[in-house]
Amino acid sequence: MASNHPPENGVGGDDEREEDDDAEEEEDEEVREDEEEEPRLKYQRLGGSVPSLLSNDAAASIAVAERMIALGTHDGTVHILDFQGNQVKEYAAHTATVNDISFDSEGEYVGSCSDDGSVVVNGLFTDERLKFEYHRPMKTIALDPDFSRKPSRRFVTGGLAGQLFLNLKNWLGYGKQVLHDGEGPIHAVKWRTSLIAWANDAGVKIYDMANNQRISFIERPRGSPRPELLLPHLVWQDDTLLVIGWGTCVKIAAIKTNPSNGANGLQRTISISSTKYVDIVASFQTSYYISGIAPFGDTLVVLAYIPEENAEKDFRSTVPSRQGTAQRPEVRIVTWKNDELTTDALPVHGYEHYKAKDYSLAHAPFSGSSYAGGQWAAGDEPLYYIVSPKDVVIARPRDAEDHISWLLQHGWHEKALAAVEAGHGGTELLDEVGSRYLDHLIIERKYAEAASLCPKLLRSSASAWERWVFHFAHLRQLPVLVPYMPIENPQLSDTAYEVALVSLTTSPSFHELLLSTIKSWPNTLYSSMPVISAIEPQLNTSSMTDLLKEALAELYIINTQYEKAFTLYADLMKPEIFDFIEKHNLHDAIHDKVVELMILDSKRAVHVLILHRDFIPPSEVVGQLLGASKKCDEKSLLHLYLHSLFEIDPQAGKEFHDLQVDLYAEYEPKMLLPFLRSSQHYRLDKAYETCVKKDLVREQVFILGRMGNVKQALAVIINKLEDMEEAVEFVTMQHDDDLWEELIKQCLRKPEMIGMLLEHTVGNLDPLYIVKKVPDGLEIPRLRDRLVKIITDYRTETSLRHGCNDILKTDCVNLLVKYYNEARRAVHLEIEEEGNRKKENDDTSFGQKAERASNSVKTMELKSKTRGGGRCCLCFDPFYIQNLSVVVFFCCHAYHIACLIGASDSMNEASNASDSDDDSENDDAQSRRSRMCCVLCTTAGR
């Protein structure tokens, strides 16, 4: 069975390894990494026509131009090849071994020399062919770099005759000039710009064609094999650096222009007026024989021949015998200080039988400036050709892909990945590295590390992601991959996501990840039913954790099974359950979850239960809370619910008011008295018993008062509360004179209460009445002070009453004066036509009239305009139609006199009929009728 706590490298159990084995393997790997160094060059055999050419012949020399290769053989043929080894041309130039080949800088001419004593120059793109006979074996040749551009057609050559010939064309034809003679055979010659370097038995000499003077002589290294046994090698690295490899010695000579004495084995043989000289800038000895040398950036490529241990001494003087015991030649990259950077042994065909002289090294022209920081510019990498009698091997700098492949071969996948990420490889290479790296980690059982690298290695390949998802699932390690699975760019198949989620249900240690994954993944990625089917059998088992329950609830929500999700949320006591209820309208589902909701958040639960009491009646809520089996304070929760319910709807839970009395008495006594006053649905006797039990005195007083036992209630106030003010208030509310007597009676038992009664009954009882009730000789504390206070309060009250009467009288007089002044004001009468004419006046005339009017009425105030708009309030005719007087009352009603008299007579007749029975009032009525009054106001008053 899998462990609940997976190891770092995976889900594991069966995949664990011993720590000691891991440590030993890591140490071995570090040692291998330190010992094995990555090669700088990569090799391949030159194909094309070369294998067939060398099957019947043997290679003797080679030269490389920018566009082609020239290969000389022992039968005297010069083969022109492309860089793939395909033969382009063939020149049967000689009848013996081709010892040396040379191109001009443009690659348009190729020159060759042979043991047959001839030198042949062929035009590669023309039919031009030049042949020169020297009648002695010629060992080396160098064409003028400008051979194709200059008509002089110069070249230098030399051989066993010991003479270095300069051939050039003049107006008489081709002529020979001997540049050097008398120091043994010429073994090698190289021409760069105006400088010619050659080697003979004595050493190396440099000649300047610009001023036709020899610059310097570099002595042959002491102890080196004879040149005919091991040839010296000359290579111009650039226009001023000459690399010399001879025997076991390497020298680098710099051509300088500042005149100074030579050093390091140099002998000056030129005039003091020369501006050029040679300085040896580097020199070192090797443990091998040099069969070829070439520049490699700021280092050197050396073709090394490893001598046999027993034959090393004889090699210097005699030709080594071919016994088939020679070692493979090696290509070494060394610095100018002879620090070896890398060594590669070449599996050359037949190397067991070859001598050092049988190998040669040539390189294609390149610009050393393209080498920077160990890297070559694209397309400018140097090519090296290692020639043996039956093989031509090409060596070129290893590129980024080679470096990555080498790292993969040696199991250094992490370094290979870092190289690819650094931009040293393409997408296909990254896919290969990624796949091999993941395979390696899986084999090493480092599942967690492999999973963490998947986003980087698989990127947006949906097919690759799905392949690895199912591979991890097959290994039962899919849970470690789930956090890294993409949900977009790319989006995988729904099956992949479902398999991933199901894998997380298998162990409690994955349940937290399952929950977070379900919450973070869009529900459109997968179907929830397969995952639900995997979880539901675990319900009510020991493997069912709270996290798994919550995950199942989330899946139910995705599948719109809200009631099932609610049940799980309620079991988990999730605070967001209330929002969930409101969001999905699950009020019917909470019938059997009242207790859980109240325990979770009583305030929010009460709000929901009261708000939806039509679905969940109070009786059901109370029943569940009273029967709660969980450890909770069910009475406190019940009190909170009933209290909130009573505040919202006092009638909703009236059958529980008796219970509510007990709950208030226990949890919130301050609220009991307002409840007792508001409710009519509790038993008074039971409520009284509860209050007595809890010693709630004021509540006892209220209940006794409601029961009608006011005297006992008053006794409780006096004896227990000793609050006279409350006692007086209680008696006052009862409106019972006998209760006042009872109050006085109760107070007589306590002398202190008499004084308090005197203080609080002012306005309700006569203090003298109370004093008369006090028995003689009864000592009342502070009686004098209290009586003084009563008298003082009485005087103060009397003074206040007199003051109020004076203020009232003054206000009445002021109001009468104001009314009188108001009555004296004029009333404005306005005729309609006059008003219309005023409206028709322009603004200018209006302003002038307004100014005159204001001046004329400065001393007169108008009360208001008449009611009726310039018409009689009875006949409604305008005042100007009839030539009648107009009467205006201070109520602003206006009448024609004729209309008013007629209306007054009608009113008098009605008054006479009603007053005929009362003769004593006739005189007064008659006097009233003789006075005019406003008909409308008089009628309204009646």
Side-chain angles (χ1 to χ4, degrees), residues 194-412:
S194 64
L195 300 176
I196 300 174
W198 71 91
N200 56 23
D201 288 347
V204 177
K205 295 178 173 59
I206 302 174
Y207 189 87
D208 186 2
M209 292 293 294
N211 55 17
N212 294 322
Q213 289 183 342
R214 193 172 63 184
I215 298 176
S216 179
F217 166 65
I218 303 173
E219 187 178 4
R220 169 185 167 183
R222 295 179 181 180
S224 61
R226 297 198 309 270
E228 61 268 19
L229 300 179
L230 184 60
L231 294 175
H233 300 277
L234 306 177
V235 179
W236 286 102
Q237 179 163 335
D238 55 31
D239 293 345
T240 60
L241 283 179
L242 177 65
V243 180
I244 305 169
W246 199 330
T248 59
C249 179
V250 176
K251 292 184 179 181
I252 301 176
I255 313 301
K256 300 184 178 180
T257 58
N258 187 20
S260 63
N261 294 328
N264 298 330
L266 296 181
Q267 294 181 2
R268 296 289 301 272
T269 60
I270 61 174
S271 64
I272 198 66
S273 61
S274 175
T275 60
K276 292 183 179 179
Y277 73 100
V278 172
D279 188 18
I280 301 301
V281 295
S283 177
F284 59 87
Q285 293 290 327
T286 66
S287 60
Y288 47 82
Y289 296 118
I290 300 170
S291 295
I293 193 167
F296 184 73
D298 53 2
T299 58
L300 299 174
V301 173
V302 180
L303 179 60
Y305 180 84
I306 310 301
E308 300 177 35
E309 294 182 1
N310 296 330
E312 183 175 356
K313 184 180 297 184
D314 296 336
F315 181 84
R316 301 180 183 273
S317 59
T318 61
V319 178
S321 61
R322 299 195 179 188
Q323 299 176 354
T325 59
Q327 299 185 34
R328 291 187 298 175
E330 295 179 352
V331 175
R332 301 192 179 193
I333 298 179
V334 298
T335 66
W336 288 9
K337 295 182 179 181
N338 198 25
D339 296 328
E340 291 191 4
L341 303 180
T342 181
T343 301
D344 301 320
L346 301 180
V348 177
H349 295 314
Y351 68 89
E352 301 92 343
H353 307 287
Y354 295 149
K355 301 176 296 182
K357 188 178 179 180
D358 294 328
Y359 298 104
S360 62
L361 173 65
H363 69 282
F366 67 94
S367 173
S369 62
S370 64
Y371 179 81
Q375 298 293 328
W376 296 88
D380 197 23
E381 303 90 346
L383 298 179
Y384 301 90
Y385 295 85
I386 298 98
V387 179
S388 67
K390 293 295 182 180
D391 251 337
V392 178
V393 178
I394 305 174
R396 56 168 50 90
R398 296 171 62 88
D399 56 17
E401 294 187 3
D402 297 319
H403 171 63
I404 294 169
S405 299
W406 184 83
L407 292 173
L408 291 176
Q409 291 173 3
H410 290 76
W412 297 328

Side-chain angles (χ1 to χ4, degrees), residues 56 150 176 271 319 347 560 777 840 885:
N56 300 319
K150 293 183 178 180
K176 299 178 184 178
S271 64
V319 178
T560 65
E840 293 175 357
S885 299

Side-chain angles (χ1 to χ4, degrees), residues 354-514:
Y354 295 149
K355 301 176 296 182
K357 188 178 179 180
D358 294 328
Y359 298 104
S360 62
L361 173 65
H363 69 282
F366 67 94
S367 173
S369 62
S370 64
Y371 179 81
Q375 298 293 328
W376 296 88
D380 197 23
E381 303 90 346
L383 298 179
Y384 301 90
Y385 295 85
I386 298 98
V387 179
S388 67
K390 293 295 182 180
D391 251 337
V392 178
V393 178
I394 305 174
R396 56 168 50 90
R398 296 171 62 88
D399 56 17
E401 294 187 3
D402 297 319
H403 171 63
I404 294 169
S405 299
W406 184 83
L407 292 173
L408 291 176
Q409 291 173 3
H410 290 76
W412 297 328
H413 300 84
E414 189 172 356
K415 291 183 178 180
L417 179 60
V420 175
E421 291 177 344
H424 296 162
T427 303
E428 296 180 357
L429 185 59
L430 178 58
D431 293 338
E432 179 185 356
V433 172
S435 179
R436 293 181 63 175
Y437 192 12
L438 291 178
D439 287 334
H440 167 73
L441 292 175
I442 293 298
I443 293 173
E444 294 292 323
R445 297 169 184 173
K446 297 178 180 179
Y447 303 111
E449 185 178 354
S452 65
L453 289 173
C454 282
K456 181 191 300 183
L457 301 179
L458 306 182
R459 302 184 313 283
S460 59
S461 175
S463 59
W465 268 106
E466 291 184 8
R467 183 172 67 253
W468 281 101
V469 165
F470 292 116
H471 187 48
F472 271 81
H474 176 71
L475 297 172
R476 298 183 180 180
Q477 300 295 329
L478 186 53
V480 299
L481 181 62
V482 172
Y484 306 101
M485 290 178 62
I487 58 178
E488 60 180 1
N489 297 325
Q491 180 175 329
L492 310 184
S493 64
D494 53 352
T495 304
Y497 295 112
E498 292 162 9
V499 170
L501 292 175
V502 170
S503 70
L504 297 177
T505 65
T506 57
S507 173
S509 61
F510 305 141
H511 292 170
E512 183 177 1
L513 177 59
L514 173 64

Side-chain angles (χ1 to χ4, degrees), residues 877-889:
D877 290 333
F879 295 139
Y880 61 83
I881 291 179
Q882 301 182 19
N883 189 16
L884 297 175
S885 299
V886 177
V887 176
V888 180
F889 294 95

